[in-house]
Amino acid sequence: MAQPDSKKIFFENLSGAGKAIAVLTSGGDAQGMNAAVRAVVRMGLYVGAKVYFIHEGYQGMVDGGDNIQEASWESVSSMLQVGGTVIGSARCKEFRSHEGRLKAAHNLVQHGITNLCVIGGDGSLTGANLFREEWSGLLSELVEQGSIEADAIQKYSALHIVGMVGSIDNDFCGTDMTIGTDSALHRIIEVVDAIMTTAQSHQRTFVLEVMGRHCGYLALVSALACGADWVLIPEMPPEDGWEDKMCQKLSANRAGMKRLNIIIVAEGAIDRNNKPITTDYIKNLVVKCLGFDTRVTILGHVQRGGTPSAFDRILASRMGVEAVLALLETTANTPACVVSLCGNQSVRLPLMECVQMTQEVQKAMDGKRFEEAVKLRGRYDWLPSHFMLVFLCPQSNFNVAVLNVGAPAAGMNAAVRSAVRVGISEGHKMFAVSDGFEGFSKGQIKEIKWADVGGWTGQGGSLLGTKRTLPAKHVEKIAEQMRKNNINALLIVGGFEAFESLLQLFEARATYEEFCIPMCMLPATISNNVPGTDLSIGADTALNAIVEVSLHAYTQTCDRIKQSASGTKRRVFIIETMGGYCGYLASVGGLAAGADAAYIYEEPFDIRDLQANVEHLTEKMKGSIQRGLVLRNENCNENYTTDFIYQLYSEEGKGVFDSRKNVLGHMQQGGAPSPFDRNFGTKISAKAMQWVTKKLLETFRQGRVFANSEDSCCLLGMRRRALVFQPVVQLKDDTDFVHRIPKEQWWLKLRPLMKILAKYKTSYDVSDSGQLEHVVRNRPKESDASVAM
C-alpha cells in the first residue's frame, strides 16, 4: 500500500537530549486539553527530553514549588478520555506584572526549562510571547539580584514558545478548528436532539443560548447541524426589521405542519447598533407576536464538560506531537509559533500574527465593520449555506436527481437534505431516488420538496434507502427512467460502490446520451476507503462509536479495580472494527482511544509481531498501567482472526491481565450522526449543488443539457487543505479495486504516532510536518474551514 518514499526524514535526526520541555494549560478549560498534554509528554520523553507539568497554568509557574513537577510516561496514563485539564488552569493577575514574570523565569531556570508548550486562548498565548521577548532581560535581573549564577544567561539564553489553541469557541484566527470545539458541539447537539422530542410533543418554540461571546461559530454550526429555524451570531448582526422576518419564518414553518421551532443564539449576539440580543428578548418577541409556547434554555458550562470527542482527541494528539517537533527544530531566531490546522494538514504560524488578526476581528466588530470581521475570521466562507437552507427561490427548468448508493453512513441524510434545499434555492426541481440504482431501474423516483426533508439532519442511516447494486446491471432501464423524468443532473451520495457506479455511468455515455449530464459524487462511508478524499461522511460517527466502547472498557476496568481486593486487576480489550480492507477506523480509532496496537491489512503482520505486542503489553501491565486496548480491522488477516488474537492474549497474559473481546459490527453505521458528519455532509453537499448549477448552465445548449467531458463527472473530496472536484476517471489509477481501497492513504502516516504514544520504538516521518508559514488572510475559494480531521 502507499508508503512514503525514500526522501522522508525521520525524527531520529531530531534529538531532544539535554532539553527540558514544560507544558501548561491556561485560561478556560476545553475538552481535549488532556490529550494534548499526554501527546507532548510522551513525544518529549520519546525523543529524550525531560518533560515537566506546570500545574495551575501561569499561577503555578509564578508560585513554583510543587506546581512544577517532572512528568513520567505513566503520569499521563488514563488521561486521554478525561475532559477539562488534569494539570489545572487558573487566571493569574500576577503574571501580567513584570515582577510576576521575574518569579516565573526564576522557577523555570531552577528546573533548566527553556521550552514552553502553552495550551490556551489568545490571552494566554500573548502572555507567553511577552514572556519570551523579556526573557534575556529577566535573566539579567535575576543575576543582578544574585538569584541565579552569571553563566545561566548563556546556558539558558533563549526561551522557546510553541502554542496550541484550546478554546471551545473556535475564536482564534489562523486555525480551522481549536481543541475543544468539536466536543462542545457534541454537548450542544445532544441537548438539542433531546429538546426536539419534547418540543414536538407540545408544539413549542425553544430559544437556545450557546457560548460565543465574540465568535458565533458554535451557534452557526449547531444551527446547521440541527436544522434550526433562525440563528443569531456576533459577526453578522441581523438587518433592521429582523424581528418581523424571523416571526414570519416561524409562522410559515408552523403552517407547514412543523411542530417545533428552534432558535439558536450566541451569547454575544448583537444588532447593528451593537445592542445585545438576549434570549429573553427573543422569547418575549415570539410570545407577543405569534403566541407560541416558548421556552429558553441556556447551556452554559455544560458545553465545556464531558469526555472529548474522537475529533478532539485526534486533533490534540496530532498538535501535541507537532508542538514537540517545532520545539526541537526551533532556533534563537525562530519566532514563537502556534500549531494550527488548515483543512486536513498541520501548519505552524507565527503566534503574534494570529493574535493580531484575532484582535483585528474584534476591532472590526466594535467599529460595526461586520463584513470585514467575517472576512478576517476566514472560516465563514460557507456562511451562505445556512441561508440557502432556510429560504426558497423561483423555479428553473432543470431536474436534478439525488440518491444513496452502498452501505448506510451517518450524515447521508444531512447531505441529501442540503442537496434538496440548496437545489431548490437555486431554482431546480429536485427528485429523490429510493434504494439506489436498483430503485432507479424500477422507477422509484419522485419529486422531493422543501418540507419533505425537514428534520433529516439528525437522522442516522439512509432515509432514501440505499443498496449496493451497481448501475451496469440495469443501465438500459436507468437510462429509460432518466429520459422519462428528464433528469438533467445527478448527485450520488455513497461509498466505494458510488465511486464504481460513477465510473460505469461515465463509460455508459458512449452508448446512452442520457448520461451526458453533470454528475457528482459525495463520499459517504464509515470505512473512509474512497479514493480522492481524505475524509468521508460517516467516518467520524464510527470513530466516536469506537471511542465510546473504549471509554466503557476503561470505566469497567476502573470499577473492577475498586470492587476487587484480590485477583486480576488489569484487563485488555480486543475490539474488532469494520472497514473492509481499509484500516482507517482501526488506526485512527486507535489513536483516539489510546490503543496499544491496531492490526490492519495495509501493514502486514505475523505471529512474531503478535507475540511482540503481547510481551510489550505484559511489561506495561506489570507497572501502573491498568488497561490495554487492541483494535483489529475486520479483514486485516484471514488467519489471525479476532478469536485467535483474543485466545493468544488470554493465554500469554495469564497471571498479569485477563482479556475481553468485542465485535462492534454494524453499531458503527447506526445511531445519530456526529456534529462533524452533519456539518461535513451539509457543507460539501451545498458546494456540490453549486457546482451542479454551474455545470448545467455551462452545458445547456439549444434547449438541452449535454455534458460528456471528464470534468463533468466528478467526486468532491477533501484533499489536504482544500475541497476539490476531481474527475472520477482520473482516480482509477489511484485505486486498488480488488481490495476496494485507495493506493495511497494519508492516515498511514499517523500509524507511527499511535505506536509512539503506546511506547513502541518506531520511526516517525516528519517530512510532512508543519513548516512555519504566514497567516493567509484570504483563503482559496475551494478551501473549507472546519471540516478537517
Side-chain angles (χ1 to χ4, degrees):
M1 300 312 99
Q3 303 296 335
D5 62 32
S6 59
K7 294 180 181 178
K8 69 181 182 181
I9 306 165
F10 292 114
F11 81 15
E12 283 98 326
N13 302 326
L14 300 170
S15 173
K19 291 196 175 185
I21 300 171
V23 58
L24 67 113
T25 54
S26 178
D29 64 307
Q31 306 97 320
M33 279 184 165
N34 290 322
V37 171
R38 171 180 176 268
V40 170
V41 169
R42 291 194 167 176
M43 191 64 168
L45 293 174
Y46 197 83
V47 297
K50 275 190 174 183
V51 186
Y52 292 86
F53 294 131
I54 298 180
H55 294 273
E56 310 306 331
Y58 287 117
Q59 189 66 56
M61 192 190 296
V62 171
D63 293 342
D66 291 340
N67 289 304
I68 302 178
Q69 294 180 341
E70 188 170 352
S72 68
W73 194 275
E74 290 74 21
S75 62
V76 292
S77 296
S78 305
M79 183 185 278
L80 190 61
Q81 70 280 347
V82 180
T85 167
V86 170
I87 61 175
S89 180
R91 313 280 179 185
C92 181
K93 285 186 178 179
E94 199 172 354
F95 187 75
R96 296 177 188 174
S97 69
H98 181 81
E99 192 60 35
R101 292 192 291 276
L102 191 65
K103 290 181 183 178
H106 182 236
N107 290 327
L108 293 188
V109 168
Q110 283 186 317
H111 291 87
I113 297 168
T114 56
N115 296 278
L116 270 186
C117 184
V118 180
I119 309 168
D122 61 331
S124 302
L125 298 178
T126 301
N129 189 65
L130 176 61
F131 190 40
R132 171 185 166 274
E133 290 174 345
E134 291 182 346
W135 181 255
S136 60
L138 293 172
L139 294 193
S140 297
E141 282 188 56
L142 291 171
V143 169
E144 289 175 12
Q145 293 175 3
S147 300
I148 61 174
E149 299 296 328
D151 63 352
I153 292 180
Q154 186 173 357
K155 189 175 180 181
Y156 307 115
S157 59
L159 178 67
H160 306 295
I161 302 286
V162 172
M164 287 182 277
V165 188
S167 166
I168 69 167
D169 290 342
N170 203 25
D171 57 353
F172 192 80
C173 291
T175 186
D176 290 348
M177 286 288 273
T178 57
I179 297 168
T181 301
D182 186 72
S183 299
L185 286 170
H186 273 259
R187 302 294 91 79
I188 295 168
I189 295 306
E190 285 166 8
V191 171
V192 173
D193 284 352
I195 279 176
M196 288 177 81
T197 57
T198 185
Q200 285 179 326
S201 300
H202 298 279
Q203 294 197 56
R204 282 181 177 150
T205 295
F206 269 88
V207 184
L208 275 77
E209 181 184 283
V210 301
M211 284 188 169
R213 194 172 303 156
H214 304 297
C215 180
Y217 184 87
L218 288 178
L220 181 58
V221 175
S222 58
L224 281 168
C226 71
D229 299 274
W230 206 264
V231 61
L232 293 156
I233 63 174
E235 297 94 330
M236 187 171 277
E239 300 287 346
D240 293 342
W242 65 271
E243 294 94 339
D244 291 337
K245 290 181 181 178
M246 184 186 74
C247 289
Q248 288 170 11
K249 180 70 172 61
L250 300 179
S251 182
N253 282 347
R254 284 292 177 93
M257 304 305 292
K258 185 175 180 181
R259 294 179 59 83
L260 77 156
N261 301 113
I262 299 288
I263 302 166
I264 296 184
V265 188
E267 62 178 326
I270 54 175
D271 63 18
R272 289 273 158 178
N273 297 310
N274 283 351
K275 180 182 176 183
I277 300 174
T278 66
T279 51
D280 285 338
Y281 176 77
I282 295 171
K283 174 189 174 181
N284 295 335
L285 178 69
V286 174
V287 171
K288 179 181 177 182
C289 296
L290 301 175
F292 292 170
D293 184 4
T294 305
R295 305 296 168 91
V296 169
T297 298
I298 298 175
L299 298 188
H301 283 76
V302 71
Q303 294 158 90
R304 293 190 187 276
T307 187
S309 66
F311 184 102
D312 274 327
R313 297 182 188 204
I314 296 161
L315 175 66
S317 297
R318 290 177 68 182
M319 284 188 166
V321 168
E322 187 68 34
V324 172
L325 293 177
L327 286 172
L328 293 180
E329 295 170 5
T330 194
T331 67
N333 298 321
T334 306
C337 76
V338 61
V339 178
S340 300
L341 188 74
C342 180
N344 189 35
Q345 191 173 16
S346 295
V347 296
R348 301 175 195 170
L349 299 173
L351 190 154
M352 290 314 296
E353 285 187 21
C354 297
V355 168
Q356 286 162 9
M357 185 177 288
T358 303
Q359 293 170 347
E360 283 179 34
V361 172
Q362 191 57 48
K363 289 176 183 176
M365 290 170 62
D366 292 341
K368 301 183 183 179
R369 303 189 305 277
F370 299 111
E371 289 184 8
E372 181 184 341
V374 169
K375 189 176 179 182
L376 287 169
R377 274 277 185 239
R379 60 177 66 97
Y380 290 147
D381 49 354
W382 44 265
L383 192 59
S385 297
H386 173 73
F387 299 103
M388 289 182 187
L389 298 175
V390 295
F391 292 110
L392 291 159
C393 286
Q395 187 74 31
S396 76
N397 295 318
F398 294 123
N399 296 340
V400 181
V402 58
L403 70 160
N404 296 153
V405 177
M412 275 183 163
N413 296 320
V416 171
R417 170 184 176 267
S418 178
V420 169
R421 291 198 167 178
V422 173
I424 292 173
S425 75
E426 299 209 338
H428 309 317
K429 184 182 284 188
M430 299 299 296
F431 287 83
V433 181
S434 300
D435 298 332
F437 284 108
E438 188 175 313
F440 212 146
S441 68
K442 296 176 181 177
Q444 294 173 206
I445 176 171
K446 64 178 182 179
E447 185 178 356
I448 186 166
K449 298 193 175 177
W450 190 275
D452 295 336
V453 292
W456 279 34
T457 309
Q459 298 291 314
S462 167
L463 293 175
L464 286 183
T466 182
K467 294 283 182 71
R468 296 179 182 270
T469 308
L470 300 180
K473 187 177 178 181
H474 307 288
V475 67
E476 187 174 343
K477 290 182 179 179
I478 294 169
E480 181 185 333
Q481 289 297 328
M482 293 189 72
R483 185 168 58 252
K484 180 180 176 181
N485 292 280
N486 190 30
I487 300 302
N488 306 121
L490 198 60
L491 182 68
I492 305 172
V493 183
F496 199 88
E497 291 90 352
F499 172 66
E500 291 181 296
S501 297
L502 211 51
L503 282 172
Q504 291 181 1
L505 295 181
F506 178 81
E507 291 167 2
R509 284 175 168 179
T511 309
Y512 301 94
E513 284 194 359
E514 287 82 1
F515 301 117
C516 293
I517 59 173
M519 294 185 286
C520 186
M521 175 200 160
L522 303 180
T525 166
I526 68 167
S527 302
N528 199 30
N529 63 331
V530 177
T533 187
D534 291 353
L535 306 169
S536 299
I537 300 165
D540 183 73
T541 303
L543 286 174
N544 278 288
I546 294 170
V547 162
E548 286 169 15
V549 169
S550 72
L551 179 62
H552 174 72
Y554 170 76
T555 306
Q556 185 180 345
T557 303
C558 290
D559 289 345
R560 180 182 174 89
I561 291 167
K562 290 173 185 175
Q563 295 166 9
S564 175
S566 62
T568 302
K569 293 185 177 181
R570 291 166 174 80
R571 179 168 286 173
V572 174
F573 291 84
I574 293 103
I575 298 175
E576 181 184 300
T577 69
M578 294 182 76
Y581 286 95
C582 181
Y584 176 82
L585 288 179
S587 296
V588 181
L591 179 59
D596 297 278
Y599 301 117
I600 64 171
Y601 166 77
E602 293 92 340
E603 193 172 285
F605 59 97
D606 57 25
I607 192 67
R608 287 164 296 190
D609 297 310
L610 290 170
Q611 185 63 33
N613 293 152
V614 173
E615 291 172 359
H616 180 83
L617 197 49
T618 302
E619 193 62 32
K620 285 175 67 177
M621 287 286 191
K622 288 177 180 177
S624 61
I625 305 297
Q626 299 160 351
R627 181 208 67 156
L629 180 66
V630 175
L631 299 183
R632 178 188 177 273
N633 168 243
E634 59 183 348
N635 287 346
C636 64
N637 188 295
E638 64 177 330
N639 295 314
Y640 300 133
T641 63
T642 301
D643 282 337
F644 178 91
I645 293 174
Y646 163 69
Q647 290 167 8
L648 176 66
Y649 274 76
S650 296
E651 180 64 28
E652 297 297 320
K654 278 183 178 178
V656 181
F657 60 81
D658 63 359
S659 301
R660 293 289 184 272
K661 67 175 178 177
N662 192 341
V663 178
L664 297 186
H666 287 80
M667 71 169 289
Q668 293 163 95
Q669 291 179 332
S674 67
F676 181 96
D677 280 329
R678 298 184 194 199
N679 288 292
F680 190 37
T682 296
K683 287 180 276 191
I684 68 169
S685 189
K687 191 171 185 67
M689 284 306 303
Q690 292 168 339
W691 176 88
V692 165
T693 299
K694 180 183 175 184
K695 288 296 180 184
L696 283 170
L697 295 173
E698 286 177 357
T699 59
F700 185 72
R701 298 289 183 274
Q702 298 178 338
R704 59 173 292 198
V705 173
F706 186 82
N708 65 350
S709 60
E710 290 184 359
D711 67 355
S712 64
C713 183
C714 286
L715 177 148
L716 174 57
M718 164 61 72
R719 300 301 294 267
R720 294 172 68 86
R721 301 193 184 192
L723 284 171
V724 183
F725 290 94
Q726 302 148 96
V728 290
V729 71
Q730 295 179 14
L731 296 172
K732 286 176 68 175
D733 292 340
D734 300 334
T735 307
D736 175 354
F737 285 93
V738 175
H739 298 100
R740 297 158 56 86
I741 55 176
K743 290 180 180 177
E744 293 193 8
Q745 303 190 88
W746 69 272
W747 52 265
L748 285 171
K749 290 186 177 182
L750 297 181
R751 294 269 305 166
L753 175 55
M754 184 197 73
K755 294 178 183 178
I756 288 167
L757 297 180
K759 211 174 183 178
Y760 285 91
K761 288 294 179 183
T762 188
S763 297
Y764 183 59
D765 177 14
V766 299
S767 60
D768 197 37
S769 65
Q771 301 301 316
L772 193 64
E773 304 177 11
H774 291 286
V775 176
V776 179
R777 291 175 179 268
N778 296 311
R779 294 178 183 271
K781 289 185 179 179
E782 70 271 21
S783 75
D784 188 336
S786 83
V787 299
M789 174 54 65

